[in-house]
Amino acid sequence: MAPVTEAQIRKFHEDGFLVLEGIFSPEECDAMMEAMQEIVHQMDVPLHCQTEFSTQEKEQLQSQGSSDYFMTSGDKIRFFFEKGVFDENGEFLVPKEKALNKVGHALHAYEPIFKQVTHSPKVQEVARGLGLEEPVIVQSMYIFKQPGFGGEVTPHQDASFLYTEPLGRVIGFWIALEDATVHNSCLWFVPGSHTDGLTRRMVRMPEGSHPRTTFVGPEPNYPENLYVAAPVKKGGLVIIHGEAVHKSEMNSSDASRHVYTFHVMESQDTCWSPENWLQPTPDLPFPSLYA
Protein backbone atom coordinates (compact mmCIF):
# COMPACT_ATOMS: atom_id res chain seq x y z
CA MET A 1 0.00 0.00 0.00
CA ALA A 2 1.25 3.48 -0.87
CA PRO A 3 1.54 5.88 2.07
CA VAL A 4 -1.10 8.53 2.57
CA THR A 5 -0.06 11.50 0.46
CA GLU A 6 0.49 15.02 1.75
CA ALA A 7 -2.38 16.17 -0.47
CA GLN A 8 -4.71 13.63 1.15
CA ILE A 9 -3.63 14.71 4.64
CA ARG A 10 -4.31 18.35 3.73
CA LYS A 11 -7.72 17.30 2.40
CA PHE A 12 -8.51 15.53 5.67
CA HIS A 13 -7.58 18.58 7.73
CA GLU A 14 -9.63 20.86 5.45
CA ASP A 15 -12.77 18.71 5.24
CA GLY A 16 -12.71 16.67 8.46
CA PHE A 17 -12.99 13.39 6.55
CA LEU A 18 -11.11 11.48 3.88
CA VAL A 19 -12.12 8.61 1.60
CA LEU A 20 -9.31 6.14 0.78
CA GLU A 21 -10.33 3.55 -1.80
CA GLY A 22 -8.86 0.07 -2.10
CA ILE A 23 -7.20 -0.20 1.29
CA PHE A 24 -8.50 -3.69 2.07
CA SER A 25 -8.94 -6.57 -0.35
CA PRO A 26 -12.29 -8.20 -1.12
CA GLU A 27 -10.97 -11.31 0.62
CA GLU A 28 -10.25 -9.39 3.82
CA CYS A 29 -13.74 -7.88 3.74
CA ASP A 30 -15.32 -11.28 3.15
CA ALA A 31 -13.35 -12.75 6.06
CA MET A 32 -14.75 -10.10 8.43
CA MET A 33 -18.29 -10.69 7.18
CA GLU A 34 -17.93 -14.46 7.58
CA ALA A 35 -16.55 -14.04 11.11
CA MET A 36 -19.52 -11.85 12.03
CA GLN A 37 -21.92 -14.36 10.53
CA GLU A 38 -20.53 -16.98 12.92
CA ILE A 39 -20.73 -14.58 15.88
CA VAL A 40 -24.38 -13.88 15.09
CA HIS A 41 -25.08 -17.60 14.63
CA GLN A 42 -23.89 -18.19 18.19
CA MET A 43 -25.67 -15.12 19.59
CA ASP A 44 -27.72 -15.68 22.73
CA VAL A 45 -29.14 -12.46 24.14
CA PRO A 46 -31.33 -12.60 27.28
CA LEU A 47 -34.73 -10.96 26.87
CA HIS A 48 -33.95 -8.11 29.27
CA CYS A 49 -30.82 -7.31 27.26
CA GLN A 50 -32.51 -7.00 23.88
CA THR A 51 -31.62 -3.33 23.45
CA GLU A 52 -32.84 -1.45 20.39
CA PHE A 53 -30.26 1.01 19.09
CA SER A 54 -31.26 4.53 18.08
CA THR A 55 -29.62 7.89 17.48
CA GLN A 56 -32.78 9.85 18.33
CA GLU A 57 -31.99 11.72 21.57
CA LYS A 58 -35.08 10.70 23.57
CA GLU A 59 -34.76 7.07 22.52
CA GLN A 60 -31.03 7.05 23.27
CA LEU A 61 -31.63 8.16 26.84
CA GLN A 62 -34.60 5.85 27.42
CA SER A 63 -33.03 2.79 25.79
CA GLN A 64 -29.27 2.29 25.61
CA GLY A 65 -28.53 5.34 27.77
CA SER A 66 -30.37 3.67 30.66
CA SER A 67 -29.25 0.12 30.00
CA ASP A 68 -26.48 -1.64 31.91
CA TYR A 69 -26.17 -3.88 28.87
CA PHE A 70 -25.10 -0.85 26.82
CA MET A 71 -23.24 1.06 29.52
CA THR A 72 -20.99 -1.90 30.37
CA SER A 73 -20.35 -3.01 26.77
CA GLY A 74 -17.02 -1.23 26.32
CA ASP A 75 -14.98 -4.31 27.16
CA LYS A 76 -17.43 -6.89 25.77
CA ILE A 77 -19.07 -8.07 22.57
CA ARG A 78 -22.77 -7.25 22.71
CA PHE A 79 -25.70 -7.06 20.33
CA PHE A 80 -27.93 -4.08 19.54
CA PHE A 81 -31.06 -4.33 17.44
CA GLU A 82 -33.07 -2.28 15.00
CA LYS A 83 -36.35 -0.79 16.16
CA GLY A 84 -39.49 -2.86 15.67
CA VAL A 85 -37.86 -6.29 15.29
CA PHE A 86 -39.41 -7.81 18.45
CA ASP A 87 -43.03 -8.64 19.17
CA GLU A 88 -44.68 -7.96 22.54
CA ASN A 89 -43.24 -11.21 23.91
CA GLY A 90 -39.71 -10.37 22.87
CA GLU A 91 -39.71 -12.82 19.97
CA PHE A 92 -38.01 -11.90 16.70
CA LEU A 93 -40.33 -10.67 13.96
CA VAL A 94 -37.55 -11.10 11.37
CA PRO A 95 -34.65 -13.58 11.12
CA LYS A 96 -32.22 -12.69 13.90
CA GLU A 97 -29.38 -12.03 11.44
CA LYS A 98 -31.60 -9.36 9.84
CA ALA A 99 -32.61 -7.81 13.19
CA LEU A 100 -29.23 -6.43 14.23
CA ASN A 101 -28.24 -2.80 14.04
CA LYS A 102 -24.71 -3.30 15.33
CA VAL A 103 -22.35 -5.41 17.44
CA GLY A 104 -19.94 -3.64 19.81
CA HIS A 105 -17.79 -2.48 21.42
CA ALA A 106 -14.68 -4.67 21.84
CA LEU A 107 -14.39 -6.70 18.65
CA HIS A 108 -10.88 -5.31 18.26
CA ALA A 109 -9.81 -7.00 21.50
CA TYR A 110 -11.48 -10.41 21.38
CA GLU A 111 -12.18 -11.48 17.80
CA PRO A 112 -9.01 -12.48 15.87
CA ILE A 113 -9.92 -11.17 12.40
CA PHE A 114 -11.07 -7.79 13.73
CA LYS A 115 -8.03 -7.52 15.98
CA GLN A 116 -5.81 -8.33 13.01
CA VAL A 117 -7.43 -5.72 10.78
CA THR A 118 -7.44 -3.03 13.48
CA HIS A 119 -3.72 -3.45 14.13
CA SER A 120 -2.83 -4.10 10.49
CA PRO A 121 0.16 -2.37 8.88
CA LYS A 122 -2.31 -0.67 6.53
CA VAL A 123 -4.14 1.01 9.40
CA GLN A 124 -0.91 1.84 11.21
CA GLU A 125 0.46 3.41 8.03
CA VAL A 126 -2.55 5.69 7.74
CA ALA A 127 -2.37 6.60 11.44
CA ARG A 128 1.29 7.52 11.18
CA GLY A 129 0.55 9.54 8.04
CA LEU A 130 -1.98 11.51 10.09
CA GLY A 131 0.71 12.23 12.67
CA LEU A 132 -0.61 10.01 15.48
CA GLU A 133 2.18 9.34 17.97
CA GLU A 134 0.55 7.21 20.68
CA PRO A 135 -2.91 6.21 19.40
CA VAL A 136 -5.01 3.85 21.49
CA ILE A 137 -8.18 2.02 20.45
CA VAL A 138 -11.22 3.05 22.45
CA GLN A 139 -14.03 1.07 20.79
CA SER A 140 -15.05 -0.93 17.75
CA MET A 141 -18.34 -1.79 16.07
CA TYR A 142 -19.75 -3.89 13.27
CA ILE A 143 -22.67 -2.03 11.64
CA PHE A 144 -25.16 -3.90 9.46
CA LYS A 145 -27.40 -1.20 7.92
CA GLN A 146 -29.97 -3.83 7.07
CA PRO A 147 -31.67 -3.70 3.63
CA GLY A 148 -35.14 -2.21 3.71
CA PHE A 149 -35.08 -0.81 7.24
CA GLY A 150 -31.54 -0.14 8.46
CA GLY A 151 -32.09 2.83 10.75
CA GLU A 152 -31.20 6.46 10.12
CA VAL A 153 -28.19 7.86 11.96
CA THR A 154 -28.95 11.48 12.75
CA PRO A 155 -26.33 14.25 12.34
CA HIS A 156 -23.75 13.98 15.08
CA GLN A 157 -20.12 14.42 16.07
CA ASP A 158 -18.27 11.41 17.43
CA ALA A 159 -16.61 13.59 20.08
CA SER A 160 -20.05 14.12 21.62
CA PHE A 161 -19.77 10.57 22.92
CA LEU A 162 -15.97 10.20 22.99
CA TYR A 163 -14.89 13.48 24.57
CA THR A 164 -11.28 14.41 25.20
CA GLU A 165 -9.40 17.39 26.52
CA PRO A 166 -8.08 18.92 24.40
CA LEU A 167 -10.50 18.21 21.57
CA GLY A 168 -9.32 16.95 18.20
CA ARG A 169 -7.79 13.73 19.54
CA VAL A 170 -10.38 11.18 18.34
CA ILE A 171 -10.41 9.75 14.82
CA GLY A 172 -12.76 7.15 13.34
CA PHE A 173 -11.67 4.44 10.91
CA TRP A 174 -14.70 3.27 8.89
CA ILE A 175 -14.13 0.24 6.64
CA ALA A 176 -16.68 -0.56 3.94
CA LEU A 177 -17.17 -4.34 3.78
CA GLU A 178 -19.65 -3.83 0.96
CA ASP A 179 -20.10 -0.96 -1.49
CA ALA A 180 -21.56 2.04 0.36
CA THR A 181 -23.58 4.10 -2.12
CA VAL A 182 -26.13 6.92 -2.01
CA HIS A 183 -28.75 4.20 -2.52
CA ASN A 184 -27.86 1.96 0.44
CA SER A 185 -26.98 4.73 2.89
CA CYS A 186 -23.39 5.88 2.60
CA LEU A 187 -22.10 8.54 4.97
CA TRP A 188 -22.84 12.23 4.44
CA PHE A 189 -20.59 14.99 5.82
CA VAL A 190 -20.60 18.74 6.27
CA PRO A 191 -17.08 19.59 5.01
CA GLY A 192 -15.18 21.83 7.39
CA SER A 193 -17.67 21.36 10.26
CA HIS A 194 -14.89 19.95 12.45
CA THR A 195 -13.59 23.52 12.83
CA ASP A 196 -16.86 24.86 14.28
CA GLY A 197 -16.49 23.34 17.73
CA LEU A 198 -18.49 20.74 19.62
CA THR A 199 -22.20 21.47 20.02
CA ARG A 200 -23.31 18.81 22.50
CA ARG A 201 -22.07 16.00 24.74
CA MET A 202 -23.51 12.82 26.17
CA VAL A 203 -22.37 12.65 29.79
CA ARG A 204 -22.68 10.10 32.56
CA MET A 205 -25.02 10.94 35.40
CA PRO A 206 -24.17 10.16 39.05
CA GLU A 207 -24.55 6.51 40.15
CA GLY A 208 -28.16 5.60 40.80
CA SER A 209 -29.54 8.20 38.37
CA HIS A 210 -32.09 7.36 35.72
CA PRO A 211 -31.44 7.74 32.89
CA ARG A 212 -27.76 6.88 33.24
CA THR A 213 -26.72 9.55 30.72
CA THR A 214 -27.93 12.94 29.59
CA PHE A 215 -27.18 15.33 26.74
CA VAL A 216 -25.70 18.77 27.29
CA GLY A 217 -26.11 21.22 24.39
CA PRO A 218 -28.06 21.06 21.11
CA GLU A 219 -27.70 18.66 18.19
CA PRO A 220 -25.60 19.92 15.28
CA ASN A 221 -27.83 21.88 12.90
CA TYR A 222 -26.69 22.49 9.34
CA PRO A 223 -28.78 23.11 6.21
CA GLU A 224 -29.27 19.97 4.13
CA ASN A 225 -27.57 21.54 1.14
CA LEU A 226 -24.25 21.64 3.00
CA TYR A 227 -24.05 17.85 3.29
CA VAL A 228 -21.99 15.96 0.70
CA ALA A 229 -22.13 12.22 0.11
CA ALA A 230 -19.07 10.06 0.73
CA PRO A 231 -19.68 6.85 -1.24
CA VAL A 232 -16.93 4.26 -1.00
CA LYS A 233 -16.39 0.89 -2.61
CA LYS A 234 -15.91 -2.41 -0.80
CA GLY A 235 -12.50 -2.36 0.88
CA GLY A 236 -12.35 1.40 1.11
CA LEU A 237 -11.61 3.31 4.30
CA VAL A 238 -13.20 6.55 5.48
CA ILE A 239 -11.23 8.56 8.05
CA ILE A 240 -13.48 10.70 10.28
CA HIS A 241 -12.37 13.60 12.47
CA GLY A 242 -14.04 13.44 15.88
CA GLU A 243 -15.77 16.81 15.43
CA ALA A 244 -16.87 16.32 11.80
CA VAL A 245 -20.66 16.44 11.51
CA HIS A 246 -21.92 13.39 9.64
CA LYS A 247 -25.02 11.26 9.22
CA SER A 248 -26.51 8.42 7.20
CA GLU A 249 -30.04 7.93 5.95
CA MET A 250 -32.33 4.97 6.50
CA ASN A 251 -31.42 2.15 4.13
CA SER A 252 -34.56 1.68 2.06
CA SER A 253 -32.73 -0.22 -0.69
CA ASP A 254 -32.53 -3.99 -1.11
CA ALA A 255 -28.74 -4.01 -0.53
CA SER A 256 -27.11 -4.18 2.90
CA ARG A 257 -24.17 -1.94 3.83
CA HIS A 258 -21.93 -3.80 6.26
CA VAL A 259 -19.13 -1.83 7.93
CA TYR A 260 -16.40 -2.46 10.46
CA THR A 261 -15.47 0.73 12.29
CA PHE A 262 -13.34 1.69 15.25
CA HIS A 263 -12.17 4.85 17.00
CA VAL A 264 -8.70 5.74 18.14
CA MET A 265 -7.51 8.47 20.49
CA GLU A 266 -4.15 10.18 20.39
CA SER A 267 -3.22 9.51 24.02
CA GLN A 268 -0.14 11.73 24.16
CA ASP A 269 -0.96 14.73 26.37
CA THR A 270 -4.66 13.87 26.22
CA CYS A 271 -7.27 13.40 28.97
CA TRP A 272 -10.12 10.96 28.35
CA SER A 273 -13.21 12.39 30.04
CA PRO A 274 -14.45 10.46 33.09
CA GLU A 275 -17.93 11.68 32.06
CA ASN A 276 -17.90 9.62 28.84
CA TRP A 277 -20.28 6.65 28.81
CA LEU A 278 -17.37 4.47 27.64
CA GLN A 279 -14.54 3.91 30.09
CA PRO A 280 -11.44 1.72 30.03
CA THR A 281 -11.59 -1.16 32.49
CA PRO A 282 -9.08 -3.39 34.28
CA ASP A 283 -10.11 -6.17 31.87
CA LEU A 284 -9.57 -3.95 28.84
CA PRO A 285 -7.44 -0.83 29.12
CA PHE A 286 -7.36 1.05 25.82
CA PRO A 287 -4.78 -0.92 23.78
CA SER A 288 -2.09 0.72 21.67
CA LEU A 289 -2.83 0.79 17.94
CA TYR A 290 0.85 0.23 17.21
CA ALA A 291 1.27 -2.81 19.47
Side-chain angles (χ1 to χ4, degrees), residues 21-271:
E21 296 282 10
I23 301 298
F24 294 92
S25 69
E27 292 75 19
E28 288 172 308
C29 294
D30 291 344
M32 284 186 272
M33 292 180 68
E34 289 166 7
M36 182 51 61
Q37 188 176 34
E38 182 59 26
I39 291 169
V40 172
H41 177 71
Q42 297 180 17
M43 174 178 67
D44 182 18
V45 184
L47 181 62
H48 70 282
C49 296
Q50 291 179 354
T51 300
E52 295 179 345
F53 187 80
S54 171
T55 60
Q56 299 289 340
E57 180 171 329
K58 184 177 179 181
E59 293 174 347
Q60 279 184 319
L61 297 181
Q62 289 181 344
S63 180
Q64 62 263 24
S66 297
S67 166
D68 282 335
Y69 187 74
F70 175 82
M71 294 289 290
T72 60
S73 64
D75 60 357
K76 301 174 183 67
I77 295 173
R78 288 184 168 168
F79 305 90
F80 304 91
F81 300 92
E82 292 288 355
K83 292 188 291 183
V85 298
F86 299 111
D87 66 17
E88 59 187 13
N89 298 315
E91 299 295 329
F92 285 107
L93 293 170
V94 298
K96 67 178 184 179
E97 65 273 11
K98 298 294 186 183
L100 282 158
N101 174 286
K102 71 175 189 176
V103 174
H105 291 94
L107 292 163
H108 63 280
Y110 301 127
E111 288 297 326
I113 183 62
F114 296 105
K115 184 174 184 178
Q116 175 184 329
V117 167
T118 304
H119 292 273
S120 69
K122 301 174 185 182
V123 168
Q124 293 178 353
E125 176 104 31
V126 172
R128 290 192 172 96
L130 294 172
L132 299 181
E133 298 286 343
E134 298 178 8
V136 295
I137 307 153
V138 300
Q139 70 162 0
S140 56
M141 299 177 287
Y142 189 104
I143 302 173
F144 295 83
K145 210 66 168 183
Q146 304 286 2
F149 61 91
E152 171 194 18
V153 176
T154 56
H156 67 283
Q157 298 165 286
D158 292 341
S160 295
F161 310 94
L162 310 174
Y163 183 80
T164 62
E165 293 181 352
L167 282 168
R169 301 305 179 96
V170 169
I171 294 178
F173 287 69
W174 195 94
I175 303 167
L177 305 184
E178 301 177 294
D179 291 350
T181 71
V182 293
H183 303 294
N184 72 346
S185 195
C186 67
L187 295 175
W188 292 74
F189 290 89
V190 178
S193 56
H194 63 300
T195 64
D196 293 339
L198 189 68
T199 61
R200 72 167 182 165
R201 289 180 59 194
M202 175 192 265
V203 298
R204 280 179 173 259
M205 297 293 285
E207 276 305 314
S209 299
H210 186 86
R212 298 279 300 279
T213 60
T214 191
F215 282 104
V216 178
E219 290 187 354
N221 186 19
Y222 288 86
E224 285 298 316
N225 64 352
L226 293 185
Y227 285 89
V228 299
V232 58
K233 294 185 181 298
K234 179 176 181 173
L237 171 65
V238 184
I239 308 299
I240 306 171
H241 190 285
E243 282 101 81
V245 175
H246 58 291
K247 66 175 184 175
S248 64
E249 306 295 342
M250 176 181 174
N251 183 10
S252 57
S253 78
D254 59 1
S256 59
R257 191 220 67 188
H258 287 213
V259 166
Y260 173 58
T261 182
F262 57 93
H263 288 88
V264 304
M265 174 186 69
E266 172 54 74
S267 65
Q268 188 177 81
D269 301 321
T270 305
C271 176

